[in-house]
Amino acid sequence: MPERRGCALVTGGSRGIGAATARVLAEDGWPIAVNYHEDEAGAVAVVEQIRHSGGTAVAVAADVSDREAVERAFDQVEQQLGLVAVLVNNAGVTSDGLVPQLDPARWTAVLETNLSGAFWTSRRAVMPMVRNRFGRIVNVASIVGARIANPGQANYAAAKAGLVGLTRTLAKEVAHRGVTVNAVAPGLIRTRMTNGVDSAVARAIPVRRAGEPHEVAHCVRFLVSLEAGYVTGATLVVDGGMTA
Amino acid sequence: MSSTEITAQTIEDMIFDALAQVGPDRADIKREATLEDLDVDSLDLVEIAQLVQETWGIELDPQDFIDVRTVGDAVDVIVALVL
């Protein structure tokens, strides 16, 4: 087993799946950098929860769609917690509308955060991981795009399908250096992003309920673990059987 | 490192050391050895390019390495850019 050192950076870690992932990885002993864009209070709350439980965590502000902000955030994390050995690309936004309604701003905003953001962070993270001969990148994709289509989410679907393509490509590029790159594809998960989704949707899921953020977080935990070193380029679907 | 200290030999030594770090045995690294024989791949070259950039501030373009076959070819490309 490789020696584990460094920290885990979770983008969009102030709430929902990101916050749950930050807490779970902290339980495994990773020092955590909780990235946020606007929700500083949420990120600070996650940091305080982790510290209260005996872990190490810092909050790091950055809009992941801004490449220079990503560089600054990594510099800050490396100074405070050391090498980023684990990167969880969770930051994501939605801006729904049918294709004729998706003006350039709405198209670009979703692509730049959900896809380009993961590219900028991965690009910054991967060479130190390669040099260290260990690294874990987990991208939070979605069943939307790679597995199913939702009318009104062309931008989101394109970004998340692109994220799966990025996952698989980078996985092959760095596989022989101890660096794995995987994705999770959540279905309907109870977060602020899915507030307002009709309860009939949840009843149509084979498990008969929406998933919880921690259920996705535990899948990320597995992909981050040393024991998952032979899993790379994979997308782990976490959808209660919705796309089975 | 000041510019007066940089010679083709110091660059070659640094490239040989960098190659040894990314995989091949130091004893196998010779100017005439091909990158293929040493099992040096494109990601290794990216690592070396980053090391060159950090050491001498020279940004290498992947196109610079397109005709590189041997260790000597790689050294010559970098020497030409650095000196």
Side-chain angles (χ1 to χ4, degrees):
Chain A
M1 286 287 182
E3 184 188 355
R4 197 180 81 170
R5 65 186 182 93
C7 70
L9 169 61
V10 181
T11 71
S14 62
R15 58 178 175 257
I17 292 170
T21 300
R23 288 191 290 264
V24 162
L25 295 182
E27 286 173 13
D28 281 352
W30 288 104
I32 306 292
V34 179
N35 160 254
Y36 67 95
H37 178 205
E38 293 174 336
D39 186 8
E40 182 178 9
V44 168
V46 173
V47 165
E48 287 176 353
Q49 287 167 3
I50 291 170
R51 289 179 178 168
H52 184 71
S53 301
T56 300
V58 297
V60 185
D63 172 359
V64 295
S65 70
D66 178 343
R67 187 172 65 83
E68 291 180 357
V70 166
E71 292 285 333
R72 288 193 297 273
F74 269 79
D75 291 345
Q76 179 189 338
V77 172
E78 286 169 347
Q79 280 183 3
Q80 292 183 280
L81 300 177
L83 170 81
V84 176
V86 175
L87 170 65
V88 180
N89 284 310
N90 168 74
V93 296
T94 56
S95 185
D96 295 353
L98 299 176
V99 167
Q101 300 169 309
L102 289 181
D103 59 30
R106 295 173 79 176
W107 172 260
T108 304
V110 172
L111 267 290
E112 290 202 344
T113 296
N114 298 16
L115 180 56
S116 299
F119 177 75
W120 298 130
T121 55
S122 299
R123 184 176 184 270
R124 175 60 175 76
V126 77
M127 286 311 291
M129 291 179 181
V130 164
R131 286 184 183 176
N132 192 40
R133 299 298 188 262
F134 176 82
R136 296 283 188 265
I137 298 176
V138 181
N139 294 320
V140 179
S142 172
I143 57 169
V144 174
R147 308 266 298 205
I148 64 167
N150 278 346
Q153 290 199 307
N155 49 3
Y156 188 77
K160 293 298 189 180
L163 190 55
V164 171
L166 170 62
T167 301
R168 297 173 65 187
T169 305
L170 183 56
K172 278 199 172 180
E173 289 183 0
V174 298
H176 56 309
R177 298 299 208 287
V179 180
T180 66
V181 187
N182 291 289
V184 292
L188 180 63
I189 306 297
R190 201 192 314 271
T191 66
R192 203 174 79 163
M193 191 182 277
T194 58
N195 271 353
V197 173
D198 195 325
S199 60
V201 174
R203 286 196 299 275
I205 296 169
V207 171
R208 297 285 191 272
R209 63 174 176 83
E212 298 294 337
H214 71 85
E215 292 177 295
V216 180
H218 283 284
C219 294
V220 176
R221 167 189 247 166
F222 165 68
L223 294 171
V224 167
S225 69
L226 297 181
E227 291 76 10
Y230 203 61
V231 182
T232 195
T235 298
L236 180 52
V237 176
V238 194
D239 70 350
M242 188 190 280
T243 60
Chain B
M1 186 182 287
S2 70
S3 59
T4 54
E5 294 172 307
I6 304 173
T7 66
Q9 188 59 52
T10 60
I11 293 170
E12 182 172 299
D13 290 345
M14 182 273 209
I15 300 302
F16 278 30
D17 289 343
L19 282 167
Q21 280 180 37
V22 299
D25 288 339
R26 187 68 171 76
D28 294 334
I29 302 170
K30 301 178 171 62
R31 282 191 61 89
E32 60 275 19
T34 68
L35 300 181
E36 189 177 358
D37 289 342
L38 295 174
D39 202 21
V40 171
D41 64 13
S42 53
L43 195 58
D44 294 323
L45 293 177
V46 173
E47 278 194 72
I48 291 166
Q50 285 205 340
L51 196 60
V52 167
Q53 186 175 355
E54 287 165 11
T55 308
W56 293 303
I58 303 292
E59 196 158 341
L60 297 173
D61 189 307
Q63 294 298 315
D64 294 331
F65 287 101
I66 208 146
D67 294 323
V68 165
R69 269 190 67 255
T70 67
V71 172
D73 293 341
V75 170
D76 292 343
V77 164
I78 295 167
V79 166
L81 289 166
V82 173
L83 295 183

